[in-house]
Amino acid sequence: MCTIGEDDFGDEGAAHAMVPESSDSGPIMGGTCTKCGVESEFVYQLKFRTAECKGCFLSYARHKFRANLGASKALPKNAEVLLVVDGSAESLVLLDMLHYAQTQNTFKRLHCNARVLIIDERALREQPDDDKSLFAILQELRIRYIPFEFYVIQLGSSLNDLQKLDEYVPKYGTNELCSTLVKLRSLTARQDYLHQQRKIFIASVAHKLNCGHVFEPSISTTLATQLLTAIALGRGGSAALDVGLQDDRLHSGVKLLRPLKDLNEQEVQFYVDAQKLKPFMSAQQYGVKCGKGASLQNLTHAFVANLQQNYASTVSTVFRTGDKIAQNQQLPQALTKLELGKSDAPSMPFVCVHCLSPLDCALSDTLLAIEYSRAVSKAGTKCFAADELETKAKQQLTVERTLCHACRNIQAEFSDDSRL
Amino acid sequence: MPINCKSSCGKKAVLKRPKTGDALCKECFFAAFEAEIHHTIISSNLFRRGEKVAVAASGGKDSTVLAHVLKLLNETHDYGLELVLLSIDEGITGYRDDSLETVKQNRDDYQMALKILSYEELYGWTMDRIVAQIGRSNNCTFCGVFRRQALDRGAKQLGVDSIATGHNADDIAETVLMNILRGDTARLRRCTDIKTGGGDDTIPRVKPLKYSYEKEIVMYAHYKKLVYFSTECVFAPNAYRGHARAFLKDLEKVRPSVIMDIIHSGEQLRFKDSVKKPVRGVCARCGFVSSQQPCKACVLLEGLNRGLPKLGIGKKSKGDRMIANQDREIALRERANLVKNDF
């Protein structure tokens, strides 16, 4: 009894759609562009597309970026934009695309004012990089992408430490974020906490710089991983915002945009090659070095990487599934009804105080079942009325009533009495 | 050092519950396991007094534990249900024939009526013959589609009010992941439902073990010394589900509560208005529930009877082309016969 609802596919599922594919990257030497017909030194052949010259490929890739922003009308004219550059290939592609979009003529120009933010996360890394070489690379970038202003700040530090690249003096030593991370028992909780904190931090920097919009360089593969991670962490209700074009949960009304969401790894690789970009830091997340079995995030990352290598179409399907989901809007309204009768109803927030996702605990039968299991394990063979145990379980569900389920999981991992 | 039971009953714990991490002794585990299923049944209103319920029994651990616990709870909490066992004989030599013996043992042990329906009598085909015709790939498609419809047919014959299946928490979490991997939003919407169907023309299916971990079901069956059949199907190399299953098992090793978290996520998922919803209807040919015309079982059966077993596999347009080709060939042959007869 291990199959449910697979009328069309049977147990073998869509195995016919999950065919191993070969991956090839990099341009092909010499050829004719099938789009403009010009003979060129290198041609780029993407999967499911014919060979194109550099110019045609670049306009194809840049169109995806512009189309994403244009079709959704998510970016108002002359908006202040903060672009987060982490040294990964994707972030450099986004920087290059944004710069190109700003240098076009008035008719095609993307009308926004961009600033670049580099988050110094070296305090979290075990082996800090060489300062001099890193700053030489950043200076090079700044010169290449004039007139963008570059700002640097250490993750988790005070906003007063936000400095322009030229004036930045790195500070060593740990900050509050580092010491909080140490208190969390599992790497899963640490990575999830850091992910949320990073978003909160970026929103506060954006607010300080008067930027209403933040560009995040996530591509389809990253978002497929993000979707599966959100599901595994119990963040299903808000997963749509984790993988959609726009995430409007952030503090101070800042909106997070993912204009590269439709690009895949191959397109990023080709773009890096075509524009001679030099990624200077792998987008390796905190804790990835601990191995794939160390956390849910690392496992999901490895699972998607394996799919990408052997079944790239499945990664694209996962990403498309993410495109079809929406935020669970019923949660706050349903909570309102529940809370109306209580005296503290007006002051009750309907979103998690940590991640700002809708609260999802009070109405979930599954979470009630977990709490019921705890209550019943404690009761053992002692005779308790089912109602009594259910009341206990319901009480447990309201203990951390200001946190969503996933953030409650983080809270439960603190080795001391720290609060989120 | 031995650990004491969490319930402070004074006994030594014999197991650690994967769902909560609590260490329990054997008796407290039995009580907790049964109380949880009782709570699931009551809080989700799965049954009503006086109903006749068919327990879908394969002879495996899940259905054996389900039959045992339902009988026990029905007696202890006086649900007032009439329980019957419903088994499907797919006609797989060396697998189903042996597991049906286990079901018959359950029938005698639990004093429940047993109804066995075979693919042979329903469709005129056994899985052995189907596999002989189509080979080892895609055979699970036939088996799965026919079994689900056979359960409906059996339930109708028995006149039951609902069918209880042994899907456990692991199965549901795995299905959530699998439906995401193949972008199946229609099934993603309903795969976490504890009760499906139940309209005017369909018999509802319920999953009382929805919140029970597979590991706990195995432990329950083991400590209760229940007789169950644990051999894998001889035709079952399960490529796609295997991917999701291996991933889930890896996740479970890191954080055992992940199974419930995934079910919770699956329940909280909502879809954009632009995403198509399947319309539940009734097959015009066989009259059983389906969201397409004709239903998959009818298409697969037609393929087998026409000698075109791949008819229902893959795209519908491809199947339509296959039928058109065959009809053309038959028409040609008939015309040739007519010409021959004229001579």
Side-chain angles (χ1 to χ4, degrees):
Chain A
M1 200 48 69
C2 60
T3 54
I4 43 177
E6 297 165 0
D7 310 13
D8 283 357
F9 298 93
D11 279 355
E12 208 183 26
H16 54 276
M18 204 171 166
V19 183
E21 293 148 17
S22 61
S23 70
D24 43 350
S25 54
I28 307 165
M29 291 288 279
T32 312
C33 171
T34 46
K35 206 165 182 188
C36 63
V38 176
E39 189 82 23
S40 52
E41 199 183 341
F42 294 108
V43 285
Y44 295 86
Q45 183 157 16
L46 290 162
K47 265 177 203 156
F48 310 118
R49 276 180 76 86
T50 50
E52 289 164 304
C53 65
K54 181 178 157 183
C56 290
F57 164 71
L58 286 177
S59 58
Y60 159 78
R62 283 167 179 157
H63 176 74
K64 278 195 170 182
F65 161 71
R66 292 296 297 265
N68 248 326
L69 290 176
S72 63
K73 297 191 172 67
L75 194 69
K77 201 171 179 184
N78 296 328
E80 300 287 333
V81 171
L82 184 69
L83 168 61
V84 183
V85 171
D86 56 10
S88 63
E90 297 92 279
S91 68
L92 295 185
V93 168
L94 182 54
L95 176 61
D96 192 83
M97 283 185 176
L98 185 59
H99 187 256
Y100 177 78
Q102 296 252 291
T103 50
Q104 284 186 293
N105 64 32
T106 327
F107 180 64
K108 283 187 166 180
R109 192 169 170 254
L110 182 67
H111 293 276
C112 67
N113 305 313
R115 294 177 180 81
V116 178
L117 175 69
I118 290 141
I119 300 179
D120 187 352
E121 294 184 33
R122 286 174 301 164
L124 295 171
R125 290 169 193 258
E126 284 157 9
Q127 294 165 320
D129 304 296
D130 178 18
D131 271 352
K132 280 181 189 165
S133 61
L134 177 66
F135 281 94
I137 295 166
L138 289 175
Q139 286 295 357
E140 223 174 274
L141 264 190
R142 194 183 59 82
I143 293 161
R144 180 170 175 174
Y145 295 111
I146 284 175
F148 289 167
E149 281 179 353
F150 278 59
Y151 292 87
V152 191
I153 190 165
Q154 195 185 356
L155 183 62
S157 63
S158 152
L159 289 183
N160 296 329
D161 293 341
L162 180 69
Q163 285 167 316
K164 285 192 175 175
L165 179 63
D166 296 335
E167 300 153 6
Y168 185 66
V169 185
K171 279 184 189 170
Y172 293 109
T174 56
N175 53 32
E176 203 184 323
L177 178 68
C178 298
S179 48
T180 311
L181 278 178
V182 178
K183 290 179 200 163
L184 288 163
R185 285 191 212 101
S186 73
L187 184 62
T188 303
R190 284 200 289 274
Q191 283 177 327
D192 193 20
Y193 177 73
L194 186 63
H195 180 74
Q196 302 304 334
Q197 285 297 317
R198 198 170 183 274
K199 255 181 17 185
I200 295 169
F201 186 70
I202 290 172
S204 56
V205 174
H207 184 61
K208 186 178 164 82
L209 290 171
N210 290 324
C211 295
H213 294 81
V214 174
F215 277 3
E216 193 193 68
S218 303
I219 59 167
S220 61
T221 323
T222 336
L223 295 175
T225 315
Q226 191 68 37
L227 173 64
L228 286 173
T229 308
I231 298 292
L233 290 170
R235 294 191 182 275
S238 56
L241 295 177
D242 290 330
V243 296
L245 173 72
Q246 180 169 308
D247 184 350
D248 54 6
R249 268 175 306 184
L250 279 67
H251 289 272
S252 320
V254 175
K255 291 184 171 68
L256 190 82
L257 297 176
R258 304 181 179 98
L260 294 191
K261 76 182 183 73
D262 288 324
L263 257 66
N264 61 35
E265 267 186 0
Q266 196 185 29
E267 285 161 347
V268 168
Q269 273 174 18
F270 282 4
Y271 196 97
V272 166
D273 183 273
Q275 287 295 78
K276 310 256 175 309
L277 304 177
K278 291 175 198 151
F280 53 88
M281 222 181 273
S282 60
Q284 230 184 30
Q285 288 173 343
Y286 168 80
V288 168
K289 279 181 189 164
C290 299
K292 75 169 195 174
S295 69
L296 297 184
Q297 291 89 334
N298 286 7
L299 251 174
T300 313
H301 195 269
F303 177 72
V304 175
N306 178 40
L307 283 181
Q308 178 66 37
Q309 209 172 8
N310 300 311
Y311 312 95
S313 310
T314 304
V315 176
S316 156
T317 311
V318 174
F319 163 67
R320 298 277 159 226
T321 313
D323 237 9
K324 291 175 192 162
I325 59 172
Q327 194 188 0
N328 188 354
Q329 299 285 2
Q330 289 162 347
L331 290 168
Q333 289 160 12
L335 259 181
T336 320
K337 264 187 214 165
L338 268 188
E339 299 292 337
L340 270 178
K342 295 180 183 172
S343 57
D344 58 346
S347 60
M348 269 293 295
F350 300 131
V351 291
C352 170
V353 290
H354 185 230
C355 69
L356 301 184
S357 304
L359 291 174
D360 55 355
C361 291
L363 294 165
S364 167
D365 287 341
T366 305
L367 301 184
L368 181 64
I370 302 174
E371 292 305 336
Y372 192 84
S373 286
R374 290 207 178 100
V376 101
S377 292
K378 223 172 177 180
T381 48
K382 278 177 237 130
C383 241
F384 275 101
D387 290 352
E388 201 180 321
L389 288 172
E390 187 173 297
T391 315
K392 273 188 187 175
K394 279 186 176 160
Q395 272 170 3
Q396 276 302 315
L397 270 186
T398 55
V399 166
E400 298 284 0
R401 61 195 327 193
T402 54
L403 294 174
C404 68
H405 171 61
C407 289
R408 279 160 51 117
N409 280 343
I410 301 178
Q411 177 70 60
E413 296 264 6
F414 275 117
S415 53
D416 61 2
D417 52 0
S418 300
R419 313 283 315 153
L420 279 178
Chain B
M1 204 182 95
I3 301 167
N4 286 332
C5 177
K6 167 96 177 180
S7 72
S8 5
C9 65
K11 290 185 189 148
K12 300 283 176 238
V14 292
L15 55 91
K16 189 179 170 189
R17 302 194 70 187
K19 201 191 314 185
T20 57
D22 297 326
L24 291 183
C25 71
K26 213 196 281 185
E27 282 71 28
C28 288
F29 168 64
F30 291 155
F33 185 83
E34 288 154 11
E36 277 171 33
I37 297 172
H38 171 60
H39 177 248
T40 308
I41 291 170
I42 298 299
S43 61
S44 306
N45 291 321
L46 295 189
F47 309 117
R48 268 185 248 144
R49 175 170 285 280
E51 277 186 349
K52 188 175 179 184
V53 178
V55 180
S58 65
K61 59 182 185 339
D62 300 309
S63 56
T64 305
V65 168
L66 178 66
H68 174 87
V69 174
L70 277 186
K71 180 185 161 59
L72 189 85
L73 295 177
N74 191 27
E75 286 164 4
T76 338
H77 297 282
D78 190 25
Y79 291 161
L81 301 176
E82 184 190 343
L83 297 170
V84 288
L85 294 171
L86 173 59
S87 282
I88 307 299
D89 180 4
E90 295 95 346
I92 304 173
T93 317
Y95 170 67
R96 187 54 82 209
D97 42 1
D98 293 343
S99 71
L100 283 175
E101 290 306 313
T102 320
V103 180
K104 285 174 190 163
Q105 177 76 42
N106 290 343
R107 171 196 62 191
D108 300 339
D109 292 349
Y110 308 142
Q111 297 294 305
M112 284 185 201
L114 166 66
K115 168 89 182 166
I116 301 177
L117 274 181
S118 70
Y119 282 6
E120 176 88 72
E121 62 183 287
L122 290 178
Y123 305 109
W125 288 82
T126 64
M127 272 314 289
D128 286 344
R129 280 178 53 215
I130 293 174
V131 173
Q133 192 176 30
I134 64 159
R136 289 283 174 123
S137 79
N138 297 320
N139 63 63
C140 297
T141 305
F142 286 83
C143 194
V145 172
F146 286 159
R147 186 171 52 246
R148 273 175 283 279
Q149 201 193 58
L151 277 177
D152 275 340
R153 284 173 184 264
K156 211 170 183 180
Q157 284 185 20
L158 286 168
V160 297
D161 299 293
S162 64
I163 309 170
T165 60
H167 294 114
N168 58 42
D170 298 47
D171 295 335
I172 295 167
E174 196 178 288
T175 309
V176 170
L177 290 178
M178 199 175 69
N179 286 331
I180 291 173
L181 288 185
R182 68 181 185 205
D184 192 338
T185 49
R187 288 190 179 80
L188 203 47
R189 277 177 210 268
R190 61 172 192 251
C191 69
T192 51
D193 292 350
I194 194 160
K195 193 171 190 171
T196 50
D200 299 334
D201 44 7
T202 56
I203 297 166
R205 292 182 185 200
V206 294
K207 303 169 194 145
L209 301 184
K210 181 184 173 187
Y211 300 123
S212 304
Y213 272 43
E214 189 176 79
K215 278 183 182 162
E216 294 199 357
I217 291 172
V218 174
M219 285 192 269
Y220 185 85
H222 171 74
Y223 285 120
K224 281 269 178 186
K225 297 192 172 54
L226 301 182
V227 181
Y228 69 89
F229 184 77
S230 59
T231 312
E232 275 278 305
C233 173
V234 289
F235 299 138
N238 194 337
Y240 208 87
R241 188 170 272 276
H243 259 81
R245 173 160 291 193
F247 179 44
L248 184 70
K249 291 291 159 208
D250 287 344
L251 291 174
E252 196 190 350
K253 272 181 219 155
V254 178
R255 183 186 265 185
S257 63
V258 75
I259 290 175
M260 295 298 265
D261 289 346
I262 292 174
I263 299 177
H264 174 63
S265 284
E267 284 174 342
Q268 301 296 331
L269 283 179
R270 294 294 178 274
F271 297 87
K272 289 178 181 166
D273 295 338
S274 51
V275 178
K276 227 168 61 180
K277 265 188 199 172
V279 183
R280 184 184 279 267
V282 171
C283 172
R285 284 193 201 172
C286 66
F288 282 93
V289 63
S290 168
S291 54
Q292 23 178 307
Q293 286 300 344
C295 73
K296 201 73 184 171
C298 285
V299 176
L300 291 175
L301 194 61
E302 187 186 352
L304 287 171
N305 292 334
R306 273 177 177 265
L308 297 171
K310 298 275 176 201
L311 195 66
I313 313 283
K315 284 185 180 169
K316 188 178 176 290
S317 55
K318 225 166 125 187
D320 290 344
R321 270 202 301 275
M322 284 159 88
I323 292 179
N325 269 340
Q326 197 185 41
D327 286 346
R328 212 175 307 132
E329 277 171 26
I330 291 171
L332 267 175
R333 222 175 297 144
E334 270 176 10
R335 216 179 310 150
N337 281 344
L338 281 178
V339 173
K340 208 160 65 184
N341 291 344
D342 282 350
F343 279 114

